[in-house]
Amino acid sequence: MTRFRCTLSFTILLLLLLLPSQTLAASRGGAWIFSAGYTYYSGFEDIRSTYKKNAVASGASHDVVQWSFGFTLQAHRRISKSLRIGAGIGPVMTLLKDADHIQVPASVSVIAILFPDWTHSPFVRAGGSYHITKGDYLRHSRPGLLAGAGVAFFAQKSLNLNLEAAYDGAYVTIRRPSKSTPRKIRAGALVLSISAVF
C-alpha cells in the first residue's frame, strides 16, 4: 500500500506539472515550455533478457516480445531566461507473451540553457527519476538521479529541435527463479532523445 501511495502521489504531481492552464502556454515567451518526441532506453534489452531466462527457468517457452512506445512528453516552467524546472513522462516500455512487464519512466528536472541567445544552444539537465512498473518477476522499483546534456537547434524559433543524451539512475530489481539473488537493472544507463520543443 505504501508503494502504491508513493506512485500515486508522484503521478499526480507529474500530471499537475504536465497539464498547466492554456493561458500560461499561450506564447513562446510564456511561462511554460513543452516538448514531445522519441526516447530510447538502451538498458531495457537487459530487462527483456532477464525475463526470457526467467520464463525458461519457470518451464515456459522463451517467447518474450518487447514492445516500446517511445513517445515522451515534458513540460517545464520558465524561471529565468536560462533556467527551467519541470517534469516528464514516457516512454512506455513493455514485455508481452510469456512474460508481462510494463515500465514507464517519470522524472522531475532542472534545465540550464548555457547560452540562451545563441541560435543553437547547448543545455544541461539534472534531476531525479522514478520508473512506474508492474511485472511478473518485479521485486521493486527505486528512484535515481537523472543527468543529461544536449543541444537545442534553432532555439530562438517558436518551434525548435532538441537532441539529448542522458543517464537515468532509476532501477528495477527482478527476481530470478534459477538464482538465489535478484538482478538490479538500470534501463537508462544511456538515454537518447530527439524532441520538438514548443
Side-chain angles (χ1 to χ4, degrees):
M1 181 61 77
T2 302
R3 179 171 173 252
F4 174 76
R5 287 178 180 168
C6 289
T7 301
L8 182 62
S9 299
F10 196 80
T11 304
I12 291 172
L13 173 63
L14 284 171
L15 290 174
L16 290 174
L17 286 170
L18 290 171
L19 299 173
S21 73
Q22 290 300 312
T23 56
L24 290 175
S27 69
R28 186 73 176 107
W32 288 90
I33 297 170
F34 299 92
S35 68
Y38 178 83
T39 300
Y40 168 72
Y41 271 71
S42 64
F44 193 67
E45 177 59 36
D46 292 337
I47 295 175
R48 177 175 178 262
S49 176
T50 301
Y51 267 77
K52 285 179 71 173
K53 292 174 183 176
N54 284 354
V56 172
S58 300
S61 70
H62 61 279
D63 188 15
V64 177
V65 176
Q66 178 178 333
W67 182 83
S68 296
F69 182 64
F71 185 77
T72 302
L73 177 66
Q74 296 185 49
H76 283 80
R77 185 175 175 85
R78 194 191 308 269
I79 304 301
S80 68
K81 191 174 183 180
S82 59
L83 194 66
R84 305 167 186 171
I85 184 168
I89 192 162
V92 176
M93 300 175 283
T94 62
L95 298 175
L96 307 168
K97 290 200 172 181
D98 289 330
D100 290 321
H101 179 88
I102 184 168
Q103 186 163 335
V104 184
S107 64
V108 292
S109 62
V110 174
I111 296 177
I113 311 299
L114 301 182
F115 303 103
D117 295 322
W118 287 18
T119 301
H120 310 305
S121 179
F123 63 88
V124 293
R125 179 194 306 273
S129 174
Y130 175 77
H131 292 199
I132 302 166
T133 53
K134 183 178 180 181
D136 292 337
Y137 302 101
L138 182 70
R139 186 169 181 181
H140 54 242
S141 178
R142 292 290 182 264
L145 295 176
L146 176 69
V151 178
F153 294 94
F154 309 104
Q156 307 307 316
K157 302 292 185 181
S158 58
L159 178 65
N160 59 76
L161 178 70
N162 276 11
L163 295 180
E164 182 180 4
Y167 168 80
D168 184 344
Y171 66 88
V172 295
T173 303
I174 298 172
R175 293 188 297 269
R176 296 184 290 180
S178 60
K179 298 187 179 182
S180 58
T181 58
R183 184 179 180 193
K184 183 169 72 173
I185 303 175
R186 285 183 173 85
L190 174 63
V191 182
L192 301 175
S193 300
I194 180 170
S195 56
V197 181
F198 48 94

